[in-house]
């Protein structure tokens, strides 16, 4: 492992909580596609399968930030374990009802309950932030590492979920996803030494982390960014089917994630200077521009090459986004702030998937990549309009605003 990554893992307990976070995040890429595969195999109703997957995503988008707000106030162990048990119980109910042929409404009830799943990635990043709050370089590397972990989950998760559900039994994918969530969360919360200590009650400011103007820009931008991801997933599956190789869709999308993984690995090795908000704006624009070649692909080989290049902009932008969240949200609301970004992404994925599905039906798969192009343009426009907000001085732990010079002075005093 390159030296910057070795350096961050010198912190006691860091290897263990990052490994637990990897296990706990696998359901992020497995549960939705596992439900689609299970329902489509059991009923042949793709409309029902997609609606249930969307219900799960929207429920997680609503509940996730509330769970993270409770975590900021009461700690990870006290909140994550009950939330995980509720999510796993609901997922079990969904599987049982699907296998038994229960009425559709029962499936939607349990799919909504399964949305209580916590944002494990935000919990792990909060631990890194607690360890390396005074070192921007180490925190940059840590966030880059976690983006690599995210992309690794998206490379292997769908392949495992689809493969098991088609080769073993229909519910195998969701069952394994639930097991990963249970093991990962309980393993993570058993590591008390690295768990961030909640701030005293008097330090908590009222209201949501979304009151931060900078966070509002990041979240709205990531709704559009999520629409890119959701539309690319749906249209790529349809495009592969039109080419007569539907099974290759998972490999094509794995190449998309691989491009992001490679970029994240390199990005974490760099010692970057300059304003992070400028890098973020360039990253969002790069993602938008990378959607243009998708309008011209004519076969799966060209599509794979175009998606690999498009993936190169994802991880660096995500790493910079998390650094900006850490700068623009008081530390007493850090986990909630990170989860809001994930929530915006999830909402965008659901919207993009729905729009892309309609576009495929109306125009065919190749022309439906226009949905991703429009979503990219919208992300770039929001980023440009909100750029000035991101340039404002960041809040301190107490939510007060200071300029960059005062931040450096405070950090130097603490180190002394």
């Amino acid at each position: 492992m390159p030296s910057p990554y070795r350096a961050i893992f010198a912190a006691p307990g860091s290897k263990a909580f990052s490994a637990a976070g990897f296990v706990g995040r696998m359901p992020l890429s497995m549960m939705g596609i596992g439900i689609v595969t299970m329902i489509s195999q059991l009923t042949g109703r793709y409309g029902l399968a997609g609606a249930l997957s969307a219900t799960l995503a929207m429920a997680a988008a609503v509940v996730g930030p509330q769970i993270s707000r409770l975590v900021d106030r009461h700690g990870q162990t006290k909140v994550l374990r009950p939330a995980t048990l509720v999510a796993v119980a609901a997922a079990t109910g969904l599987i049982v009802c699907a296998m038994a042929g229960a009425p559709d409404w029962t499936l939607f009830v349990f799919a909504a309950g399964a949305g209580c799943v916590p944002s494990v990635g935000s919990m792990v990043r909060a631990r890194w932030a607690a360890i390396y709050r005074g070192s921007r370089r180490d925190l940059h590397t840590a966030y880059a590492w976690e983006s690599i972990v995210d992309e690794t989950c998206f490379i292997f998760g769908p392949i495992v979920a689809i493969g098991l559900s088609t080769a073993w039994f229909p519910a195998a994918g969701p069952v394994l996803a639930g097991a990963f969530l249970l093991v990962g969360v309980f393993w993570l919360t058993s590591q008390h030494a690295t768990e961030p200590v909640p701030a005293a009650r008097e330090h908590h400011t009222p209201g949501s982390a979304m009151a931060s103007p900078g966070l509002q820009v990041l979240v709205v931008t990531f709704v559009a960014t999520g629409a890119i991801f959701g539309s690319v997933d749906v249209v790529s599956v349809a495009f592969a089917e039109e080419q007569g190789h539907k099974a290759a869709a998972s490999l094509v999308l794995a190449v998309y994630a691989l491009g992001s993984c490679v970029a994240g690995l390199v990005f974490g090795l760099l010692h970057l200077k300059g304003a992070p908000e400028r890098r973020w704006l360039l990253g969002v624009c790069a993602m938008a521009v990378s959607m243009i070649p998708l309008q011209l692909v004519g076969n799966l080989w060209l599509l794979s090459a175009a998606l690999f290049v498009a993936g190169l902009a994802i991880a660096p932008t995500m790493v910079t986004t998390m650094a900006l969240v850490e700068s623009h949200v008081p530390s007493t609301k850090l986990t909630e702030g990170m989860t809001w970004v994930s929530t915006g992404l999830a909402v965008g994925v659901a919207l993009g998937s729905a729009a892309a599905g309609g576009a495929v039906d109306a125009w065919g798969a190749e022309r439906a990549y226009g949905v991703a192009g429009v979503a990219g343009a919208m992300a770039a426009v929001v980023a440009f309009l909100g750029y000035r907000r991101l340039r404002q001085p960041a809040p301190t732990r107490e939510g007060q605003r200071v300029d960059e010079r005062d931040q450096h002075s405070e950090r130097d005093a603490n180190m002394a």
Side-chain angles (χ1 to χ4, degrees):
M1 187 178 292
S3 56
Y5 292 105
R6 285 202 304 269
I8 63 170
F9 282 109
S14 56
K15 294 178 182 178
F17 74 68
S18 186
F22 170 73
V23 175
R25 265 179 286 184
M26 284 297 288
L28 183 65
S29 62
M30 292 178 63
M31 186 62 81
I33 193 65
I35 289 174
V36 169
T37 307
M38 176 183 70
I39 297 298
S40 63
Q41 284 191 278
L42 291 174
T43 68
R45 299 166 60 189
Y46 283 91
L48 175 63
L52 288 171
S53 179
T55 299
L56 173 69
M58 294 305 292
V62 172
V63 177
Q66 313 312 319
I67 293 175
S68 295
R69 182 184 297 182
L70 292 173
V71 166
D72 284 328
R73 291 181 175 273
H74 305 291
Q76 294 184 3
T77 302
K78 291 182 178 179
V79 177
L80 297 189
R81 291 187 174 186
T84 298
L85 291 175
V86 171
V88 171
T92 302
L94 173 61
I95 293 169
V96 171
C97 289
M99 298 290 288
D104 290 352
W105 67 266
T106 62
L107 304 181
F108 284 99
V109 169
F110 283 118
C116 288
V117 58
S119 176
V120 178
S122 299
M123 307 304 157
V124 175
R125 287 180 172 91
R127 294 189 181 223
W128 284 118
I131 294 173
Y132 291 120
R133 191 176 301 279
S135 174
R136 291 187 180 276
R137 183 172 185 177
D138 288 334
L139 193 56
H140 165 80
T141 304
Y143 286 160
W145 173 257
E146 293 306 321
S147 290
I148 295 170
V149 173
D150 284 338
E151 298 307 332
T152 302
C153 291
F154 278 97
I155 290 172
F156 295 107
I159 297 174
V160 172
I162 295 172
L164 286 179
S165 290
T166 54
W168 194 7
F169 64 96
V175 167
L176 184 60
F180 275 136
L181 178 64
L182 199 64
V183 171
V185 169
F186 275 76
W187 184 12
L188 178 67
T189 53
S190 68
Q191 302 171 40
H192 301 293
T194 55
E195 179 177 347
V197 178
R201 181 173 298 181
E202 59 269 19
H203 291 158
H204 285 278
T205 55
S208 170
M210 276 294 286
S212 165
L215 182 61
Q216 293 169 9
V217 173
L218 297 174
V219 172
V220 174
T221 303
F222 267 70
V223 171
T225 303
I228 296 176
F229 301 155
S231 59
V232 166
D233 287 352
V234 171
V235 179
S236 296
V237 172
F239 184 80
E241 186 173 13
E242 287 185 0
Q243 296 290 311
H245 301 284
K246 185 177 181 179
S250 60
L251 298 178
V252 170
L253 293 174
V255 171
Y256 190 27
L258 179 62
S260 178
C261 189
V262 171
L265 178 63
V266 174
F267 193 68
L269 299 176
L270 303 178
H271 181 44
L272 300 173
K273 297 181 180 180
E277 61 270 13
R278 187 177 301 117
R279 292 197 299 272
W280 177 81
L281 179 60
L282 291 174
V284 173
C285 291
M287 283 196 289
V289 171
S290 70
M291 294 297 104
I292 297 176
L294 298 184
Q295 321 302 318
L296 308 174
V297 296
N299 57 60
L300 290 176
W301 290 107
L302 290 176
L303 176 61
S304 298
L307 286 179
F308 179 83
V309 174
L312 296 176
I314 296 175
T317 307
M318 289 296 299
V319 172
T320 308
T321 299
M322 291 304 171
L324 288 172
V325 172
E326 201 259 343
S327 298
H328 283 268
V329 173
S331 63
T332 55
K333 300 179 185 293
L334 178 60
T335 311
E336 182 193 349
M338 290 180 173
T339 304
W340 272 114
V341 172
S342 301
T343 294
L345 205 61
V347 171
V349 168
L351 296 175
S353 299
V360 169
D361 291 338
W363 307 321
E366 191 167 353
R367 294 180 65 187
Y369 276 118
V371 175
V374 171
M378 292 176 62
V381 168
V382 174
F384 269 112
L385 294 177
Y387 177 67
R388 182 172 296 181
R389 289 190 178 188
L390 294 178
R391 296 181 62 188
Q392 297 299 318
T396 66
R397 294 188 178 189
E398 291 74 28
Q400 299 171 344
R401 297 191 176 277
V402 295
D403 60 28
E404 191 71 20
R405 180 180 57 192
D406 291 338
Q407 290 183 17
H408 285 297
S409 299
E410 180 183 355
R411 185 175 64 196
D412 292 342
N414 290 336
M415 293 176 64

